[in-house]
Amino acid sequence: MTNDMLIDAHAHLEQYDAALLPWLFEELERWEVLTFSVAMDPPSYSQACALAARSSWIIPTFGIHPWKAPDYLHLLDTLEPLIDASPMLGELGLDY
């Protein structure tokens, strides 16, 4: 491997089938791909954090997908701890 690092800035890793996860972790390590696992809501952020605990190549990021934004409109206070825990926001509602 070279000293070059690859970066995947927007991946929804929580959508991978569990059977593919060992392959995913091997590929991230093999190709040195720093991957931002972009969550679409609190449950997917929890999944992204669990995946990141298994690989130093994964950085979980919180966000609300624009299609899900109406579901969380009245729950913004409950999202603050997740926003604070995330190193950056992944989904910001810029669809279309």
Side-chain angles (χ1 to χ4, degrees):
M1 194 76 226
T2 68
N3 288 333
D4 297 330
M5 178 192 294
L6 300 171
I7 298 174
D8 186 338
H10 192 107
H12 292 282
L13 299 181
E14 82 286 349
Q15 295 181 9
Y16 275 69
D17 185 277
L20 291 176
L21 291 179
W23 170 84
L24 170 70
F25 296 130
E26 289 174 12
E27 290 297 292
L28 294 179
E29 182 71 32
R30 176 178 173 215
W31 295 104
E32 298 181 355
V33 182
L34 183 62
T35 304
F36 294 93
S37 185
V38 179
M40 297 172 41
D41 54 22
S44 65
Y45 184 57
S46 178
Q47 292 172 303
C49 290
L51 292 172
R54 297 174 59 187
S55 172
S56 62
W57 293 101
I58 298 172
I59 298 174
T61 64
F62 178 71
I64 299 293
H65 192 280
W67 296 348
K68 295 184 177 219
D71 298 337
Y72 292 93
L73 181 61
H74 301 291
L75 302 171
L76 296 179
D77 289 342
T78 65
L79 301 178
E80 190 171 351
L82 300 173
I83 293 168
D84 290 344
S86 182
M88 63 189 72
L89 297 178
E91 290 286 359
L92 297 174
L94 300 176
D95 216 21
Y96 299 107

